[in-house]
Amino acid sequence: MEDDAPVIYGLEFQARALTAQTAETDAIRFVVGTQSLKFDNQIHIIDFDDENNMINKSVLLHDAGEIWHISGSPADKAVLTTCYSKTSESRVLTCAAVWRMPPEWESGSHESPDDSSNNPQTLELLCHLDNTTHGSVACVLWEPMGDGKRVISLAENHVLLWDLQESSTKATISSSATLEGKGQLKFTAGKWSPHHNSTQLATANDTAIRGWDLRSMSQIYCIESAHGQLVRDLDFNPNKQYYLASCGDDCKVKFWDVRHINEPVKCLEEHSHWVWSVRYNHSHDQLLLTGSSDSRVILSNMVSISSEPFGHLVDDDELSDNEESQQEDKGKEPLRDSIIATYEEHEDSVYAVEWSAADPWLFASLSYDGRLVINRVPRALKYRILL
Amino acid sequence: SFPGITAIQRQRETHIYSGWSLMGRRLACLSATTPPDSDPTGRRQVHSMLKLYYGMNEEGKVESLDPCDINGPHFDPEVYLNKLRKECSLGELMDHESCTVKQIRSLDSDMQTLVYENYNKFISATDTIRKMKNDFKKMEDEMDCLSANMAAITEFSAHISGTLQDQHAQITKLSGVHTLLRKLQFLFELPARLNKCLELQAYAQAVSAHRRARCVLQQYSHMPSFRGIQDDCHVIMEQLAQQLRQKFRDGGSSAKDLSECVELLLQLDEPAEELCDKFLSHAQSRLEADLQGLEAELIDSLVTDTDILEFIDRGCNEFVSNLCLVIASYQELFINHPQEGELASKKIPEMANGKLHVFVDTLAARYFSLVERRIQEEKGVGDNSLLVRALDRFHRRLQAISKLLPGSAVPSQGTEIVVRAARERIKQYLSALQTFYHDSLTDVRQALAAPRGATSKDATPSLPELLTSLSNFILNQLKSVLASVHLFTAKDITFSNKPYFKGEFCSQGVREGLVVSFIKFICQSSRQYCESAGDRGGSTPPALLLLLSRLCLDYETSTISYILTLTDEQFLVQHHTPVTPVTALCAEAREAAQKLLNHYVKVQGLIISQMLRKSVETRDWVNTIEPRNVRAVMKRVVEDTTSIDVQVGLLYEEGVRKAHSSDSSKRTFSVYSSSRQQIRYAPSYTPSAPMDTSLLSNIHKLFSERIDIFSPVEFNKVSVLTGIIKISLKTFLECVRLRTFGRYGLQQIQVDCHYLQMYLWRFVSDENLVHFLLDEIVGSAAHRCLDPSPMEQSVIEVICERG
């Protein structure tokens, strides 16, 4: 059972921002934002054709500035937000905006991909998430599984909850919270929990992870020194409401039960440099993806703390029907926590990894030199989880 | 030419010849009666010749085989003559002849004397024989007369015995009646006699008298007179038995009395079982008093702090010796005492033995529990000899019981107590060692911390001294513990030859339980330093990590095998059970050393990265002024790296660099860097070709190996420093990539990187690594620059030289 080779796509510019198109459930589609101070920045929309193992790309111009963060609306696949830096009067400020992709991009790219790169279309600005009073925006989070009307932006030490109105052309702050404390506090990352009716948010600043209740906009928990150094990224377990994973500059990936914040549930130390991104698989939460500035992407299988700790549950009827399969099951060892694969296709730091929204067995990783790599979960493991 | 002379000569020779042959024959029959010769040598000669003749060789003297020896048995006159003729002159021959003739003559006279003497003796013998013949004839007549007389005597004797026969039978009968009467009298007098005995307390006599009469009385009890006597006796004996029982119960009497008492009671058909029970219960009360005394002392000892030896002594002297006495007297009474008649059939010994075992076991169990409680009180690990001596005494005294009571489980239980105590002791020593280790680490920590507060320079030179003193402390402590434990196996200790102490104690106890566990503990606690410090702020000083790492490495290379060899030699460990091999321990120590060193690199790298990171993050790189100096933080980085280099150099060897470092002076390096950098960065500053920058660096990456930042380091200075510098520079790079730079910002980075290049290359194994990372940093900064116009290389150099 030979696994398909990874598919590699190169961008001309350096890039950090990667997201899967959340609202798209049929096509495997990733969106990448470039970082260049000298040229017009672009948004690359990469369609992956699973059957032919081929990539179709379309490029949209994003002339507002270099893109630090990108995320797609969960409701409308044409809507996305970016965090971009804007230089004015020798001052660099990272702003955020909501954009709509021009309606023709899909058809246009299919007909003549060469033309589209020559004469790229521009994103249509829907609205700015005005942050002049709050400072640089670290990231913008859409309400998970929401109707695409609520976003949160993390600006310096502020949590801002925005309501998008009039088909997202107008954004108003509905509520906000500010993190007070010693020194210059600055959020580095955040995640909107898909559990509890989307009323919880987790943020990272320096070495701490904090939980917020969005109804009261108050802190509900705080894991002080969750990592030895800066926390770079967070992700919620999609199936277990109290579990979240974090990663940081101490090369570790930690798993937390937010009800018991004194000790991590589990700790992985596989990377040899800072871990920049951690992502749970949306369907099978034992699969965990991490990207690091040691240029590696690691796919781990964390069975013991997943929602299926004993593997796929087999129905009793099936067992009695087929005794052979039962014996086969006995021969199978239960899966243990392990690294499934280390992907070394990158040659520069990997700042972003994402699972595909459409195919749970597929993921993309982006390194600073602009290389996007699309990989699949090894088939052997896939069948083992499914069967 | 002189035929005349030759003829004479020949004549003489024949004469001499015949003379000698004659002499030889005479000599042969010479006897002891040879008259004494005046000449002592001649006499000796004669003696030896006689001996020769009778085959009595003088000891060791080899018979002369010389045919020329005139006195030898192998004398050959022909040869002799020839010899003489050849050797001697005529004059000598003449002398010789006259000498020979003289000798012959003297021999002849000797012969004659002998013959005369023999003849005389013969004649006197003949006379004696004749006289004897006459005497014998007279004797024969007298013998005939004697035999006739004897026949007459025999006849008379037969006659007399025939007449006396009747009277003899009568006398026999009379004597039988007399005996019977005497017996009857004894019976009739018995009650009175018994009474008297009772009065006089001569119980033994009474019992033996009664015993003699008992059967007869039983047999004739149908006759009234005898019956009366029997009843009387019964009453009396009952009384007697009562008295005996009383005496037995009182118990105050001596052991001898007691034994007599028991013996008599047994003879009086008293049930043996009851007696045993009584005896034992009586003994028990006394022994229990001893035990209570011991218990009281046990409680006292907690307060008054008497040592264990005293306690055991008291236990031995009071309880154990009393117990032995009881066992001995009991055995004397009930078991070893030879039983006669019906008593023998009752199997008393078996029953009594069973009772004795139960008795001893219960008491010993209580004693043991007391002893064990006392042993548990022994917690101080200072002086082991007292405990060992106490245990030895305890064990030795129990051997007495095993001799007295061969089947008893008591001695083996005692041995078990000793074994348990020994095991406990090993555990205590292990924990003592562990606390000692922790304490000495705390000391080291303080020593590391103290001078740092005063003068930072004093802290580093003492590092190797601290290491040696620490490792010596530990080793000495371990040795002293081994010596203490070794007391358990000393030859003069009775229990040291038990199989446990020969085998398991040495291998499982001392080697595994103590030495191996301790080494493992060191490794484990060292590893803990890495784990706990990583998460929670890193309270362990880096110097301690370095020191521990070196300690573990030393253990791996020599100390472990030394310690284990020492242990094996001291304890003559025979490995019946599998033991931890030296290699496994060494591997563990090495692993710990590696982990500690990696952690050290991480911690030190982190300290430097933190500085770099702060310096990049807090500065406004867009609106900065033109660089005039190297930033202070870079100097600080170089300083810190140098001091780390010194620190590591104190404990670790230099390590190997890539070959070219020998001739890579500062100058060639700067040429290299400037030429390379200009080539590399020139295109990237022309806006028309954005791809070229990454192309070059990508090509570089294609051919260079992937750099693992937090990777394991080797045990040498260069590798450690390389690790630290890698971590620092990579952090620098990542931080630069997150910022946006103005023109002067980029130039400042250029200056800083050049400064780092100037100083850092000498610390690392492969200077290309530093070049590569610094190139990356400058390249990234150029990318992130709004107005990328680099500074002239020469200006950079000037600034760096100056700063």
Side-chain angles (χ1 to χ4, degrees):
Chain A
M1 211 187 307
E2 193 74 12
D3 283 314
D4 291 324
V7 179
I8 299 176
Y9 171 73
L11 285 81
E12 292 93 356
F13 301 106
Q14 290 168 332
R16 280 176 185 268
L18 167 74
T19 188
Q21 202 174 21
T22 325
E24 175 64 81
T25 48
D26 297 329
I28 299 163
R29 186 171 297 155
F30 293 99
V31 182
V32 179
T34 65
Q35 270 199 321
S36 172
L37 289 165
K38 295 157 209 110
F39 307 100
D40 281 340
N41 284 287
Q42 301 166 333
I43 287 197
H44 289 237
I45 298 156
I46 290 136
D47 265 289
F48 180 64
D49 183 352
D50 198 17
E51 279 169 25
N52 303 316
N53 220 22
M54 269 174 48
I55 279 179
N56 295 314
K57 64 154 183 177
S58 358
V59 179
L60 297 170
L61 267 186
H62 178 277
D63 46 16
E66 56 173 3
I67 301 168
W68 288 87
H69 186 262
I70 192 166
S71 77
S73 159
D76 186 347
K77 56 185 174 181
V79 175
L80 55 87
T81 58
T82 60
C83 300
Y84 57 92
S85 57
K86 195 169 75 180
T87 317
S88 55
E89 300 146 19
S90 344
R91 195 161 159 263
V92 181
L93 185 71
T94 311
C95 306
V98 187
W99 309 85
R100 175 180 291 282
M101 297 185 225
E104 316 84 46
W105 67 269
E106 216 165 351
S107 55
S109 72
H110 279 291
E111 280 164 17
S112 53
D114 291 337
D115 287 350
S116 68
S117 61
N118 285 339
N119 187 18
Q121 289 175 299
T122 312
L123 280 169
E124 176 193 340
L125 177 70
L126 290 177
C127 64
H128 285 290
L129 300 175
D130 184 35
N131 63 324
T132 42
T133 51
H134 297 110
S136 289
V137 180
C139 58
V140 174
L141 311 167
W142 288 91
E143 182 183 18
M145 295 168 290
D147 51 4
K149 297 221 166 114
R150 299 212 302 165
V151 292
I152 289 172
S153 70
L154 299 176
E156 297 289 343
N157 57 340
H158 305 286
V159 179
L160 307 172
L161 180 58
W162 302 82
D163 272 338
L164 302 178
Q165 291 152 345
E166 298 166 25
S167 353
S168 305
T169 53
K170 192 180 161 201
T172 51
I173 296 176
S174 65
S175 56
S176 71
T178 306
L179 179 63
E180 306 283 358
K182 270 197 286 179
Q184 269 200 316
L185 297 171
K186 204 172 135 189
F187 290 117
T188 53
K191 206 81 191 179
W192 196 330
S193 165
H195 307 290
H196 313 289
N197 270 333
S198 304
T199 56
Q200 285 190 10
L201 171 80
T203 61
N205 65 297
D206 198 22
T207 60
I209 297 173
R210 284 162 210 274
W212 302 84
D213 189 328
L214 296 173
R215 294 166 296 189
S216 60
M217 286 310 253
S218 58
Q219 184 178 308
I220 43 177
Y221 56 83
C222 173
I223 310 173
E224 295 280 4
S225 54
H227 283 265
Q229 296 173 68
L230 212 68
V231 181
R232 291 279 171 193
D233 197 14
L234 298 166
D235 198 17
F236 279 96
N237 186 317
N239 300 324
K240 292 177 89 177
Q241 55 183 346
Y242 296 110
Y243 277 70
L244 73 95
S246 65
C247 61
D249 286 2
D250 55 359
C251 312
K252 287 175 186 161
V253 177
K254 290 188 181 181
F255 299 86
W256 303 90
D257 180 339
V258 297
R259 295 164 298 183
H260 310 285
I261 57 172
N262 293 328
E263 284 293 320
V265 182
K266 200 113 190 162
C267 180
L268 286 182
E269 197 173 0
E270 304 296 345
H271 285 290
S272 70
H273 203 246
W274 306 350
V275 188
W276 286 76
S277 179
V278 59
R279 288 287 178 271
Y280 276 110
N281 186 297
H282 307 305
S283 317
H284 306 282
D285 55 75
Q286 62 266 53
L287 299 179
L288 188 92
L289 209 55
T290 52
S292 153
S293 40
D294 65 359
S295 321
R296 291 191 181 93
V297 174
I298 291 181
L299 176 61
S300 316
N301 190 9
M302 305 303 294
V303 184
S304 68
I305 50 170
S306 76
S307 58
E308 306 178 347
F310 307 108
H312 188 69
L313 291 175
V314 185
D315 286 341
D316 285 344
D317 305 345
E318 260 180 75
L319 278 177
S320 54
D321 280 351
N322 196 341
E323 289 205 355
E324 261 180 60
S325 77
Q326 197 177 0
Q327 280 182 338
E328 236 173 70
D329 281 352
K330 275 179 190 168
K332 257 192 215 171
E333 264 184 52
L335 287 165
R336 294 217 187 100
D337 292 354
S338 59
I339 293 183
I340 300 157
T342 304
Y343 300 96
E344 311 215 353
E345 282 85 18
H346 292 289
E347 270 150 17
D348 205 334
S349 304
V350 178
Y351 294 131
V353 289
E354 277 296 345
W355 289 97
S356 159
D359 182 349
W361 308 107
L362 205 113
F363 57 89
S365 53
L366 179 68
S367 59
Y368 190 60
D369 55 6
R371 182 179 292 186
L372 181 81
V373 178
I374 296 177
N375 259 306
R376 292 181 187 84
V377 175
R379 281 209 184 123
L381 181 76
K382 174 176 167 180
Y383 292 135
R384 204 146 169 202
I385 290 171
L386 285 178
L387 301 177
Chain B
S1 54
F2 301 101
I5 295 174
T6 354
I8 296 166
Q9 229 178 335
R10 203 169 290 150
Q11 225 182 342
R12 289 237 166 100
E13 277 162 16
T14 37
H15 189 80
I16 291 165
Y17 173 78
S18 62
W20 268 315
S21 58
L22 182 70
M23 199 166 77
R25 251 170 280 138
R26 279 188 194 164
L27 273 174
C29 59
L30 220 73
S31 78
T33 51
T34 316
D37 206 310
S38 52
D39 181 22
T41 50
R43 202 158 42 178
R44 210 175 298 138
Q45 259 181 342
V46 170
H47 263 295
S48 64
M49 279 185 299
L50 274 173
K51 274 182 184 156
L52 211 79
Y53 181 74
Y54 288 108
M56 288 161 61
N57 264 335
E58 252 171 82
E59 72 283 346
K61 235 180 209 173
V62 186
E63 268 180 41
S64 163
L65 292 172
D66 188 5
C68 302
D69 183 4
I70 198 161
N71 294 330
H74 299 281
F75 176 67
D76 189 347
E78 202 72 43
V79 178
Y80 184 76
L81 270 181
N82 282 342
K83 192 179 166 218
L84 278 182
R85 263 199 320 247
K86 270 181 211 154
E87 290 171 0
C88 305
S89 63
L90 187 59
E92 279 170 339
L93 275 177
M94 295 289 278
D95 288 348
H96 210 93
E97 193 226 337
S98 68
C99 173
T100 314
V101 168
K102 218 195 258 154
Q103 281 179 355
I104 289 168
R105 219 172 274 146
S106 94
L107 278 173
D108 273 342
S109 77
D110 285 356
M111 191 81 152
Q112 257 174 353
T113 332
L114 267 177
V115 169
Y116 281 131
E117 273 176 13
N118 286 348
Y119 182 69
N120 279 344
K121 279 175 188 165
F122 181 68
I123 286 172
S124 76
T126 321
D127 286 349
T128 317
I129 287 169
R130 197 177 298 139
K131 209 171 166 187
M132 271 169 73
K133 239 181 202 167
N134 287 341
D135 286 351
F136 269 114
K137 204 163 275 170
K138 209 193 267 169
M139 216 148 81
E140 212 168 287
D141 294 344
E142 280 174 7
M143 285 306 285
D144 282 346
C145 181
L146 184 67
S147 75
N149 283 347
M150 284 310 289
I153 289 167
T154 317
E155 205 178 319
F156 273 120
S157 160
H159 189 66
I160 289 165
S161 64
T163 50
L164 283 179
Q165 193 120 44
D166 295 342
Q167 280 170 357
H168 184 76
Q170 274 179 347
I171 286 167
T172 318
K173 200 172 165 189
L174 279 173
S175 109
V177 171
H178 179 72
T179 329
L180 193 65
L181 281 173
R182 280 235 314 255
K183 276 188 187 163
L184 276 175
Q185 193 187 1
F186 174 78
L187 279 183
F188 286 125
E189 282 174 3
L190 187 62
R193 185 192 283 249
L194 288 178
N195 267 331
K196 203 173 177 187
C197 285
L198 202 58
E199 269 166 41
L200 294 173
Q201 296 195 325
Y203 303 118
Q205 276 179 346
V207 171
S208 70
H210 178 248
R211 233 166 38 134
R212 270 197 284 164
R214 196 161 50 180
C215 305
V216 182
L217 286 173
Q218 194 67 36
Q219 199 175 349
Y220 296 103
S221 58
H222 55 278
M223 287 163 78
S225 53
F226 285 108
R227 189 170 189 92
I229 295 169
Q230 193 185 14
D231 291 346
D232 285 352
C233 287
H234 263 305
V235 174
I236 295 165
M237 290 318 287
E238 204 58 45
Q239 224 172 333
L240 188 134
Q242 209 62 42
Q243 281 189 13
L244 280 173
R245 260 176 241 139
Q246 186 60 42
K247 198 173 157 192
F248 182 73
R249 211 170 292 130
D250 288 349
S253 42
S254 71
K256 198 182 162 198
D257 280 353
L258 211 61
S259 79
E260 195 184 71
C261 199
V262 169
E263 193 182 328
L264 292 176
L265 281 171
L266 280 176
Q267 279 173 3
L268 286 174
D269 285 349
E270 195 75 11
E273 214 168 328
E274 230 168 80
L275 283 178
C276 293
D277 286 345
K278 274 184 192 159
F279 184 88
L280 290 180
S281 73
H282 178 64
Q284 185 158 16
S285 64
R286 271 183 298 165
L287 290 170
E288 253 162 34
D290 288 343
L291 284 176
Q292 270 153 13
L294 270 181
E295 196 162 1
E297 183 165 336
L298 178 67
I299 293 156
D300 280 355
S301 74
L302 304 183
V303 188
T304 58
D305 200 34
T306 49
D307 62 40
I308 187 168
L309 192 59
E310 274 173 45
F311 176 83
I312 294 284
D313 257 350
R314 180 160 173 196
C316 290
N317 291 338
E318 289 177 1
F319 175 77
V320 178
S321 57
N322 282 342
L323 184 64
C324 286
L325 278 180
V326 167
I327 294 170
S329 55
Y330 181 90
Q331 282 177 329
E332 188 62 34
L333 291 182
F334 299 105
I335 298 171
N336 297 339
H337 191 75
Q339 311 282 359
E340 312 98 355
E342 73 224 277
L343 283 175
S345 63
K346 287 185 182 167
K347 308 213 167 174
I348 289 173
E350 284 82 349
M351 182 275 301
N353 212 8
K355 278 186 187 301
L356 181 62
H357 274 286
V358 174
F359 170 76
V360 171
D361 285 352
T362 44
L363 279 174
R366 289 186 49 191
Y367 173 58
F368 288 158
S369 77
L370 285 175
V371 170
E372 273 201 286
R373 268 168 62 191
R374 181 68 185 87
I375 291 174
Q376 277 160 11
E377 298 299 327
E378 283 296 300
K379 290 208 173 77
V381 287
D383 188 12
N384 197 31
S385 63
L386 216 58
L387 176 70
V388 173
R389 260 161 62 204
L391 287 176
D392 177 43
R393 200 156 298 177
F394 167 73
H395 186 261
R396 202 186 291 269
R397 289 301 284 263
L398 287 180
Q399 299 313 304
I401 293 180
S402 82
K403 267 176 211 144
L404 280 170
L405 208 60
S408 171
V410 171
S412 63
Q413 282 167 358
T415 313
E416 268 168 42
I417 287 179
V418 174
V419 166
R420 271 204 292 278
R423 279 207 187 107
E424 195 53 41
R425 204 72 186 152
I426 286 177
K427 273 189 210 146
Q428 285 171 358
Y429 271 120
L430 180 62
S431 70
L433 275 176
Q434 289 172 350
T435 25
F436 176 82
Y437 177 71
H438 269 309
D439 290 349
S440 28
L441 277 197
T442 317
D443 289 350
V444 169
R445 238 180 154 133
Q446 275 163 0
L448 284 175
R452 185 159 298 174
T455 47
S456 62
K457 294 291 166 197
D458 288 355
T460 33
S462 61
L463 214 52
E465 291 159 30
L466 279 174
L467 175 69
T468 42
S469 73
L470 175 65
S471 87
N472 284 344
F473 274 148
I474 295 171
L475 202 61
N476 286 339
Q477 189 71 10
L478 190 62
K479 274 180 183 168
S480 75
V481 164
L482 278 181
S484 294
V485 176
H486 195 245
L487 290 175
F488 278 105
T489 60
K491 279 216 174 65
D492 55 338
I493 302 293
T494 44
F495 51 76
S496 66
N497 59 0
K498 294 276 169 207
Y500 169 75
F501 281 98
K502 278 189 161 169
E504 205 195 329
F505 178 75
C506 294
S507 66
Q508 290 304 313
V510 176
R511 193 184 192 275
E512 295 295 296
L514 195 62
V515 180
V516 172
S517 300
F518 181 57
I519 294 170
K520 279 187 176 166
F521 167 78
I522 290 182
C523 298
Q524 257 159 21
S525 70
S526 303
R527 280 205 298 269
Q528 272 166 9
Y529 276 107
C530 306
E531 279 149 23
S532 60
D535 282 347
R536 309 265 174 243
S539 57
T540 322
L544 183 65
L545 292 174
L546 190 67
L547 189 126
L548 282 178
S549 141
R550 184 71 220 191
L551 182 75
C552 287
L553 191 67
D554 286 347
Y555 265 69
E556 191 255 343
T557 47
S558 59
T559 318
I560 287 178
S561 64
Y562 169 71
I563 292 173
L564 285 185
T565 319
L566 188 79
T567 314
D568 286 357
E569 274 170 6
Q570 261 191 28
F571 289 87
L572 299 170
V573 177
Q574 296 147 342
H575 303 303
H576 299 297
T577 44
V579 292
T580 319
V582 179
T583 47
L585 278 180
C586 286
E588 200 166 326
R590 194 181 178 85
E591 193 195 318
Q594 181 77 59
K595 216 164 179 179
L596 281 164
L597 197 61
N598 288 351
H599 193 64
Y600 174 77
V601 169
K602 208 165 167 179
V603 168
Q604 293 286 32
L606 240 146
I607 293 172
I608 295 178
S609 330
Q610 217 63 272
M611 279 194 295
L612 286 168
R613 173 141 117 199
K614 284 273 142 59
S615 79
V616 176
E617 277 177 0
T618 52
R619 199 175 172 114
D620 181 0
W621 292 99
V622 181
N623 304 310
T624 186
I625 50 155
E626 191 172 358
R628 304 241 174 258
N629 272 314
V630 178
R631 281 187 302 149
V633 71
M634 293 301 154
K635 293 179 181 168
R636 182 78 197 281
V637 165
V638 171
E639 267 170 34
D640 279 14
T641 313
T642 314
S643 72
I644 290 170
D645 182 67
V646 171
Q647 193 179 50
V648 178
L650 288 172
L651 293 181
Y652 278 98
E653 295 74 30
E654 182 69 28
V656 280
R657 295 167 193 279
K658 289 253 165 107
H660 56 81
S661 79
S662 59
D663 62 355
S664 100
S665 66
K666 194 177 130 202
R667 211 168 143 220
T668 54
F669 164 75
S670 39
V671 167
Y672 157 83
S673 68
S674 60
S675 60
R676 275 287 291 275
Q677 261 185 328
Q678 267 156 8
I679 293 166
R680 275 199 60 187
Y681 295 123
S684 74
Y685 308 132
T686 55
S688 61
M691 287 297 289
D692 287 2
T693 329
S694 50
L695 188 70
L696 253 175
S697 90
N698 280 347
I699 288 172
H700 189 273
K701 277 182 209 163
L702 267 181
F703 292 103
S704 65
E705 275 177 40
R706 187 188 284 268
I707 303 166
D708 275 341
I709 304 302
F710 290 104
S711 54
V713 291
E714 286 162 33
F715 292 108
N716 58 54
K717 192 178 84 179
V718 168
S719 176
V720 169
L721 264 292
T722 308
I724 293 171
I725 289 171
K726 265 196 306 193
I727 292 172
S728 312
L729 293 185
K730 177 79 176 178
T731 305
F732 196 9
L733 171 67
E734 292 294 341
C735 290
V736 162
R737 283 181 176 183
L738 288 171
R739 304 286 298 178
T740 310
F741 294 85
R743 177 206 288 180
Y744 297 130
L746 168 66
Q747 292 183 353
Q748 182 69 62
I749 294 287
Q750 274 184 292
V751 170
D752 290 350
C753 285
H754 186 77
Y755 182 79
L756 289 181
Q757 250 170 341
M758 274 168 64
Y759 290 101
L760 291 185
W761 65 270
R762 68 190 83 199
F763 298 122
V764 300
S765 59
D766 182 4
E767 61 190 73
N768 283 330
L769 193 90
V770 175
H771 301 329
F772 171 71
L773 281 169
L774 289 172
D775 284 359
E776 275 291 293
I777 292 168
V778 177
S780 292
H783 262 294
R784 308 274 327 134
C785 185
L786 297 166
D787 177 19
S789 49
M791 196 177 237
E792 279 290 314
Q793 186 64 29
S794 55
V795 181
I796 295 175
E797 274 168 32
V798 167
I799 293 175
C800 288
E801 302 278 313
R802 202 177 52 199

